[in-house]
Amino acid sequence: MYKFASSLLHNVFQKFGKQIVTINKEKVPEEPYIVTCTHTGYVEVIMLALSLYPTEINYMAKKELFSKDWSNKFFHSLNAFPVDREKPGPSTLKIPVKLLNQGKSVGIFPSGQRAATGEAPLKRGAATIAVLSNKPIVPAAFEGPKEVKSIFTFREKSFIKFGEPIDPNEFPKELKKSEKIAKVMELLEERTNKLQEEVTYIAEQVKKR
C-alpha cells in the first residue's frame, strides 16, 4: 500500500502547484540510511516520505497506533512498525537495525512525540540505531501546514530541508560505542536546530513574495 499511496500523493501534490519544496536532497546518500525530522504534527510524516520519493521509508511509530486489528494491518501496510515509548528496551532497536541491514531506510522523529519545536530533546534512540547498524543519519527539518486537512487545500507549501549526513563509520575507530552515540547525538541536535532555523527563514521569505 505504501508504494501506491506515495505515488498517488506525490503526483497530486506536484501537479497542484508543487506543494513540496525539497532542499538539499542531493545530500541524501544511497540507501540504506536513517532520516530524522523535526516533529510537531502528522503533516511532516507524510511530507518527509514524499520528499524522499520513490525511496520507501519504514517509520518508527508509537505502539498505541497498532492496538486494533484493522489499525495494525493498516500501519504495517504503510511500512510503519510499533515502538513502546514508555518502556524502550533492546528489542525496540532490533527492528530498525534489522531493516537497515536488509537495505531498507528508516524514518525516526527523535523527539519521540508531537511537540512544539524545541520542547522535546532529541532522543538517544536514533543515535544508537545509527551506531549499531553503522548506517548514516540524515537530519531534516520541516516547515509548513500544521494540520493534515490543510495540505489538501493546496494553499500552503511544505518545506523539507536536509542536512549533512552523520556517518558513525567516519569517527575514530578507538572510540567506544557509548562515545560514538554521544557524538552522533551532539551532531544531530546541532544540525537539526540549525536546519530548523534555516527552513523556517526560507518559508517566511517565500510567503512574503
Side-chain angles (χ1 to χ4, degrees):
M1 183 175 179
Y2 183 104
K3 182 174 292 186
F4 170 77
S6 61
S7 296
L8 176 63
L9 291 176
H10 182 269
N11 290 331
V12 168
F13 288 125
Q14 289 305 92
K15 181 178 180 180
F16 291 94
K18 296 188 180 298
Q19 295 301 113
I20 308 169
V21 179
T22 304
I23 307 165
N24 289 347
K25 189 176 180 179
E26 69 276 5
K27 293 184 181 295
V28 179
E30 294 296 322
E31 300 176 59
Y33 54 82
I34 302 158
V35 60
T36 62
C37 190
T38 49
H39 191 34
T40 58
Y42 291 111
V43 175
E44 54 266 43
V45 178
I46 299 171
M47 294 309 186
L48 179 61
L50 296 181
S51 70
L52 290 167
Y53 179 86
T55 296
E56 293 191 21
I57 304 299
N58 295 267
Y59 279 123
M60 180 182 286
K62 60 182 181 180
K63 70 172 187 178
E64 290 79 5
L65 294 174
F66 301 79
S67 60
K68 305 293 184 180
D69 184 57
W70 68 267
S71 62
N72 180 59
K73 292 179 180 178
F74 175 73
F75 284 108
H76 272 109
S77 73
L78 292 176
N79 291 1
F81 57 93
V83 171
D84 188 345
R85 294 195 315 216
E86 299 300 322
K87 298 178 181 179
S91 60
T92 300
L93 306 179
K94 288 181 179 179
I95 296 176
V97 170
K98 182 179 180 180
L99 288 169
L100 288 161
N101 289 333
Q102 291 175 343
K104 299 177 181 179
S105 294
V106 172
I108 302 174
F109 294 91
S111 63
Q113 58 185 327
R114 292 182 297 121
T117 303
E119 291 184 1
L122 296 180
K123 298 296 184 179
R124 184 183 180 87
T128 303
I129 291 168
V131 172
L132 290 178
S133 63
N134 287 315
K135 299 298 188 295
I137 289 183
V138 181
F142 170 85
E143 185 65 36
K146 304 303 179 185
E147 298 181 0
V148 174
K149 63 181 180 180
S150 64
I151 67 178
F152 292 101
T153 64
F154 305 104
R155 295 175 181 173
E156 187 176 356
K157 294 182 182 295
S158 293
F159 297 80
I160 296 281
K161 185 171 185 178
F162 297 102
E164 291 290 340
I166 304 167
D167 191 345
N169 293 301
E170 295 179 355
F171 298 146
K173 294 182 179 180
E174 59 269 21
L175 284 183
K176 297 179 181 178
K177 182 172 71 174
S178 59
E179 294 174 325
K180 286 186 178 182
I181 292 172
K183 184 63 176 175
V184 173
M185 287 177 65
E186 179 184 348
L187 289 172
L188 184 58
E189 185 90 43
E190 178 183 301
R191 293 183 188 181
T192 301
N193 289 339
K194 184 179 180 181
L195 284 168
Q196 188 62 60
E197 292 178 1
E198 293 171 345
V199 78
T200 298
Y201 175 78
I202 291 171
E204 289 175 348
Q205 295 306 304
V206 171
K207 289 179 181 178
K208 291 179 180 178
R209 294 174 185 172

